Amino acid sequence: GGGGGGTGWDAKEKWPEVEKTNQYLEAYYKEQKIVPEGEWEEFLTACRAVLPTTFRVSPCGTFANEVRDQLKTRFSELQMTDIESVDEDQRTQPPKPLPWYPDNLAWYMSISKKALKRTPALEKFHKYLVAETETGNLTRQEAVSMIPPLFMDVEPHHRVLDMCAAPGSKTSQLLEFIHMKSGANGVPPGVVIANDADLDRCSMLIHQMKRINSPSLLVLHHEAQKIPMLWGKPDGAAAKVPMRYDRILCDVPCSGDGTMRKNVDVWRKWSPAQGAGLHKTQIQILTRAVELTVPGGVIVYSTCSMNPIENESVVAFVLKKFNMCLELEDVSTQLPALKRCPGLLNWRVRDKRQADQFWDKFEEVPDALRQVYCESMFAPAEAAELKLERCVRVLPHHQDTGAFFICKLRKTADHTAPKSKQAVRDDEEAKTEATEEVKAEVKAEEAKEEKKEEVKEEAKADTTAPGKEEAKGEVKEEAAPDGDATMKEEAKEEAKEEEKKEEETKEEEKKE
């Protein structure tokens, strides 16, 4: 219609900004003391800032060195004075390598993904990133998400499992490590098995992995805590054996509050109930990872959450469950340029209904809530003995990243070796045979008891028959009980003879 008095919709009008504050989140993590003393305000400022753009160079790509050289030289002339400010982002600088990632293969640019698309002066650079990503030379990935695979020490011959793989950025890293020595066109001896519980995410994972075009990838669709054991027959083996894994990445589903810099909805929706609700599932997934790992193998457990209920408490429970065959490894010498905080030895559990109600011990939880807040959520008394300080917590303000939790577990011995299918069948047959033997013994005992009862009844019948007990004076009346006793003794002797004959018969049958 004609120009009325309405304001209309302006394409350039911005949506209202999400308020990046949540008093409950801030109070919760202040209470947990995850941030070093004196750094709280710096931590909050970093959490509210825009997340930088980061990407990796594929080391097994044909043009890996050329791409890395182009990043060093071709775009080095980009300066802040050449680029207009976009939104609140004032930090535009040329791309730089991440200081802690090996061989300058990971890069960052201190500008958000959104601003990178909208800045005219960066149009060529953005097109370059898109083109190289489509060819597989680059992978767009958040910086902290690159850390877990680096702790796994993957070798080309390893059998690797990524339990919760989609969308696939970490899986692509693992494939790159497998191909490292065989080159882009070689076929390595190892394999990467990527699993996800969501079928649509599995499809997305496969689409992403097409860029790498590796023959060493297998995709599964299972709930991570129920991944089945695969069986195979090695060269020269007579029977199939369980195919367990040398390396397992256990990047479990979590509340994701460490992603608040890119997912601003965290500020609005955060609740301590989110972490508590995932706690048992996370334990189940890590437990399954231990069961599927070979002795001497490595499991890396990680989340994009800062919550100790999803992190240290899960690791502590599984360490205690497998206390004789699992240990936390010290990773302080790995990635020395990465700034990190140690794992917590103490933490508190908060009542989701009352913001100021915290518990230090499971015994403090009301009986009505013990189905919601289980004992494994609380800090164990032996936290120091479990060496939980060897866990790693990355915080946003240390190196301008998101927040992340990582720990490296080494399986030092076999907990219970899975048996072959034939061995399982043999065990079942042995159990059946043992059960039949027990049933036969029980029947034999019952038959003996019945025989004894019959003998006793016959003995009683003989003693009470007419004419057997005639009164012939006081002397004979007194002797009657002695006669009864004699007959009872004879009955017992007959019963013993019957038992002896049955035992001899049984021994002869066994010998035959």
Side-chain angles (χ1 to χ4, degrees):
T7 57
W9 180 76
D10 185 357
K12 295 183 180 179
E13 185 179 348
K14 298 180 184 178
W15 288 99
E17 289 289 334
V18 174
E19 189 177 354
K20 295 180 180 179
T21 181
N22 184 314
Q23 60 175 334
Y24 302 114
L25 181 149
E26 294 170 28
Y28 181 81
Y29 283 118
K30 238 180 182 178
E31 188 69 30
Q32 301 294 7
K33 297 181 175 62
I34 66 165
V35 180
E37 192 174 349
E39 298 181 15
W40 181 256
E41 291 303 322
E42 187 182 356
F43 165 75
L44 278 183
T45 301
C47 288
R48 292 167 179 149
V50 178
L51 190 67
T53 299
T54 50
F55 46 91
R56 288 186 298 104
V57 179
S58 174
C60 58
T62 306
F63 304 103
N65 293 331
E66 288 79 358
V67 171
R68 183 170 49 189
D69 292 340
Q70 284 183 346
L71 290 169
K72 289 179 181 178
T73 58
R74 182 176 174 183
F75 302 104
S76 62
E77 71 279 4
L78 296 175
Q79 301 295 332
M80 287 183 67
T81 54
D82 300 330
I83 301 172
E84 299 175 5
S85 173
V86 177
D87 298 331
E88 74 281 7
D89 201 328
Q90 302 283 344
R91 303 168 297 131
T92 306
Q93 293 177 4
K96 294 180 181 179
L98 288 171
W100 46 266
Y101 201 98
D103 303 323
N104 288 342
L105 288 173
W107 291 69
Y108 77 99
M109 193 170 186
S110 55
I111 185 172
S112 69
K113 183 179 178 181
K114 180 176 70 174
L116 180 62
K117 292 179 180 179
R118 293 184 179 182
T119 308
L122 291 174
E123 183 180 358
K124 288 184 178 179
F125 181 62
H126 180 251
K127 287 183 177 179
Y128 173 80
L129 290 181
V130 171
E132 295 299 333
T133 300
E134 288 176 352
T135 58
N137 291 325
L138 290 179
T139 300
R140 306 278 286 274
Q141 185 178 0
E142 190 180 344
V144 287
S145 176
M146 304 176 190
I147 299 171
L150 293 173
F151 282 152
M152 294 178 68
D153 307 322
V154 174
E155 295 290 338
H157 63 279
H158 281 160
R159 190 181 294 134
V160 184
L161 173 64
D162 189 350
M163 297 187 78
C164 309
S169 56
K170 298 182 188 70
T171 306
S172 65
Q173 267 183 288
L174 298 172
L175 275 173
E176 289 166 5
F177 296 152
I178 288 286
H179 280 276
M180 192 74 78
K181 294 180 181 178
S182 57
N185 299 318
V187 179
V191 64
V192 173
I193 298 179
N195 175 76
D196 203 89
D198 189 295
L199 186 58
D200 291 335
R201 286 168 63 85
C202 281
S203 298
M204 179 173 58
L205 170 67
I206 294 170
H207 176 73
Q208 293 290 338
M209 292 303 102
K210 282 182 180 179
R211 298 184 298 106
I212 299 178
N213 197 28
S214 170
S216 304
L217 174 69
L218 174 65
V219 177
L220 299 181
H221 170 48
H222 285 282
E223 289 184 333
Q225 63 269 39
K226 298 178 182 177
I227 294 178
M229 180 72 73
L230 300 181
W231 295 73
K233 186 182 290 187
D235 294 338
K240 291 183 178 180
V241 296
M243 296 175 59
R244 293 195 285 178
Y245 302 91
D246 303 290
R247 299 290 186 268
I248 293 183
L249 176 58
C250 202
D251 188 49
V252 298
C254 65
S255 61
D257 57 25
T259 66
M260 61 178 68
R261 295 184 67 178
K262 67 175 181 179
N263 182 16
V264 293
D265 269 357
V266 170
W267 291 101
R268 183 168 54 88
K269 297 179 179 179
W270 184 89
S271 164
Q274 295 170 341
L278 289 165
H279 173 78
K280 290 182 180 179
T281 300
Q282 291 161 343
I283 284 178
Q284 291 169 355
I285 294 174
L286 183 54
T287 297
R288 188 57 179 156
V290 177
E291 294 169 351
L292 293 173
T293 305
V294 298
V298 168
I299 304 153
V300 168
Y301 176 85
S302 63
T303 74
C304 53
S305 168
M306 298 179 285
N307 196 340
I309 307 302
E310 302 178 73
N311 298 325
E312 284 91 346
S313 65
V314 173
V315 174
F317 179 86
V318 176
L319 280 170
K320 289 194 294 180
K321 183 174 182 178
F322 298 96
N323 64 334
M324 300 302 291
C325 65
L326 194 67
E327 65 180 20
L328 268 172
E329 282 211 345
D330 184 4
V331 293
S332 58
T333 58
Q334 291 185 261
L335 308 181
L338 176 67
K339 294 180 182 179
R340 64 197 85 183
C341 291
L344 302 178
L345 298 180
N346 294 288
W347 58 89
R348 311 185 77 192
V349 178
R350 205 203 88 173
D351 186 349
K352 65 180 180 180
R353 305 169 305 171
Q354 302 178 49
D356 58 347
Q357 177 63 64
F358 284 86
W359 302 300
D360 294 304
K361 297 179 180 179
F362 179 64
E363 291 74 20
E364 299 172 6
V365 181
D367 291 342
L369 295 176
R370 292 193 176 185
Q371 293 297 320
V372 179
Y373 303 99
C374 53
E375 190 171 3
S376 58
M377 293 181 181
F378 292 81
E382 61 270 47
E385 297 174 15
L386 296 174
K387 300 178 181 177
L388 293 181
E389 72 279 359
R390 290 183 172 180
C391 299
V392 172
R393 183 176 272 101
V394 179
L395 297 177
H397 64 293
H398 285 159
Q399 288 180 304
D400 199 14
T401 64
F404 223 76
F405 175 89
I406 315 105
C407 74
K408 181 179 181 180
L409 298 155
R410 175 80 65 176
K411 188 172 180 181
T412 55
D414 201 356
H415 61 293
T416 50
K419 298 179 180 179
S420 67
K421 293 179 181 178
Q422 184 60 46
V424 172
R425 285 195 291 268
D426 291 343
D427 285 350
E428 291 299 324
E429 290 175 3
K431 287 180 183 177
T432 303
E433 290 174 3
T435 303
E436 293 299 326
E437 287 180 5
V438 170
K439 287 180 179 179
E441 289 177 2
V442 170
K443 286 182 179 179
E445 290 295 328
E446 290 175 350
K448 287 180 183 178
E449 292 296 326
E450 289 176 1
K451 188 68 175 176
K452 289 179 182 178
E453 291 298 324
E454 288 175 4
V455 171
K456 288 179 182 179
E457 290 297 327
E458 289 175 2
K460 287 181 181 179
D462 289 341
T463 56
T464 56
K468 292 288 182 179
E469 294 182 359
E470 295 180 357
K472 293 183 180 180
E474 294 180 359
V475 176
K476 287 187 177 182
E477 286 179 2
E478 291 175 359
D482 292 334
D484 288 343
T486 303
M487 293 185 72
K488 288 180 181 178
E489 288 296 327
E490 290 175 356
K492 287 181 181 178
E493 290 296 329
E494 288 178 5
K496 286 181 181 179
E497 287 295 329
E498 289 293 333
E499 288 179 13
K500 189 174 180 182
K501 287 179 181 179
E502 287 179 5
E503 288 176 1
E504 288 175 355
T505 302
K506 191 173 181 181
E507 288 295 328
E508 288 175 2
E509 288 176 353
K510 285 185 179 179
K511 288 178 181 180
E512 290 175 1

